Amino acid sequence: MKHNEENNIQQLINGGYKAQFGAAFSDASEIFKGIAGFSILAFIIYFVASTILSSFIGLIIPGNPMNVEDIMEILQSGDENLMNELILEANENPNYLPSFINYFVQSALYPILYSVFVMARKYDTHLNVDFSDIFVHYRDGKFLSLFLLTISVNIIAAIGMVLCLIPGILVYIFLMLSIPLVIFADANVKEAIKYSYKIVSKDFGTFAVALLAIVGILIVGFLLCCVGIVAAMPFTYIIIYALYKQIIGFPGESSEIDEIGTDIYKDNPYMK
């Protein structure tokens, strides 16, 4: 993990802080206006790739040993005995392999969505966002960490949901900063989970409000004929980015202002 970010995080954990969700939301709105096109394209590419691969997995590894046509005939016949036999056979011969493979495939595609974080940062630093940014995490050495973190968070949250709904929700709140910690602070999976939990616990209320807002945005996206989700999903990632920027920031980066006054002759053999 980057030394400057880790020191900054330790100070936040020791001294506490108070985030402003309203300011983060406004910031996210401005950033989204600047990267809407590429961020929406990232979601579309993710969705199309996910759909195609899921269909392919279903074709090569059928989830049910029975022929699809036979199943349809039984359902259309209305014969209760045959339908009961169908249910019993499905229970006796479950095939979860396609679901497991599909889950790992989905997790491997999530870095396409996470590219929105990089786009937001580039826009913030006045750099041009381009098409190649959508696949940035497949070449920047962070794919494995993001892949494993996605699986870990979803498994922990799923366990929480099964035990009781509230623990599952808490997992998503406490680990909200885990992805940007990997992307911007070079945290590994263990560090991302640990530090996200510790940071969020210092201002739990703000992140609870953030999750409610994110859920609300996604619901509105679905209600808009499901088309709105194309914009709603990337916007939620930008909200998380804005919170990360406000709370942790990027202490390891030097701005143009910081570089003003730097001795350009130092360590430059051509300008001595």
Side-chain angles (χ1 to χ4, degrees):
M1 188 174 185
K2 292 180 180 178
H3 183 68
N4 290 333
E5 275 79 352
E6 189 167 18
N7 286 340
N8 194 31
I9 289 170
Q10 289 294 349
Q11 292 176 9
L12 290 170
I13 294 171
N14 295 333
Y17 66 93
K18 180 60 181 176
Q20 300 294 328
F21 176 73
F25 187 88
S26 298
D27 188 23
S29 300
E30 289 300 316
I31 294 172
F32 181 69
K33 293 177 184 177
I35 63 171
F38 283 112
S39 63
I40 290 174
L41 181 60
F43 178 83
I44 293 174
I45 291 174
Y46 163 81
F47 179 78
V48 171
S50 174
T51 302
I52 292 174
L53 290 174
S54 295
S55 300
F56 181 72
I57 291 169
L59 287 174
I60 62 175
I61 311 176
N64 194 302
M66 291 189 66
N67 187 285
V68 176
E69 293 180 358
D70 293 337
I71 296 174
M72 292 302 298
E73 288 179 5
I74 292 173
L75 294 176
Q76 292 173 1
S77 69
D79 190 316
E80 293 184 4
N81 292 328
L82 289 176
M83 285 192 285
N84 287 333
E85 290 178 8
L86 176 63
I87 294 172
L88 288 173
E89 184 171 349
N91 289 331
E92 292 174 358
N93 300 289
N95 187 354
Y96 299 112
L97 182 59
S99 298
F100 281 114
I101 294 177
N102 190 51
Y103 173 70
F104 284 109
V105 169
Q106 298 283 336
S107 298
L109 291 174
Y110 259 83
I112 294 176
L113 295 177
Y114 299 152
S115 68
V116 175
F117 287 105
V118 174
M119 295 179 195
R121 187 59 191 155
K122 289 185 72 172
Y123 178 81
D124 250 353
T125 53
H126 309 292
L127 297 174
N128 292 327
V129 177
D130 55 52
F131 179 78
S132 65
D133 291 326
I134 295 175
F135 308 100
V136 62
H137 298 308
Y138 294 101
R139 61 178 188 272
D140 65 356
K142 295 176 182 176
F143 168 76
L144 182 59
S145 293
L146 292 172
F147 173 69
L148 295 176
L149 181 58
T150 299
I151 293 175
S152 301
V153 171
N154 287 335
I155 289 176
I156 296 171
I159 294 173
M161 292 290 187
V162 171
L163 296 177
C164 183
L165 181 63
I166 294 178
I169 295 173
L170 291 176
V171 169
Y172 284 118
I173 295 175
F174 281 116
L175 300 185
M176 193 175 292
L177 295 178
S178 58
I179 296 298
L181 279 169
V182 170
I183 294 173
F184 299 120
D186 290 341
N188 57 38
V189 175
K190 182 179 179 180
E191 290 171 335
I193 292 175
K194 178 180 71 173
Y195 284 129
S196 180
Y197 171 79
K198 289 184 176 182
I199 294 169
V200 172
S201 64
K202 291 295 181 177
D203 190 10
F204 178 81
T206 297
F207 286 92
V209 170
L211 183 65
L212 287 174
I214 287 171
V215 171
I217 291 169
L218 293 176
I219 291 174
V220 171
F222 276 114
L223 292 177
L224 295 174
C225 301
C226 295
V227 177
I229 195 66
V230 175
M233 181 64 79
F235 182 59
T236 61
Y237 284 109
I238 298 174
I239 291 175
I240 297 173
Y241 163 80
L243 283 169
Y244 178 91
K245 180 177 72 170
Q246 182 186 133
I247 297 166
I248 300 175
F250 306 90
E253 295 183 8
S254 59
S255 65
E256 294 179 3
I257 295 176
D258 295 329
E259 294 173 357
I260 294 176
T262 301
D263 186 359
I264 61 175
Y265 296 95
K266 184 178 180 181
D267 299 324
N268 190 334
Y270 300 102
M271 302 188 72
K272 289 184 177 179

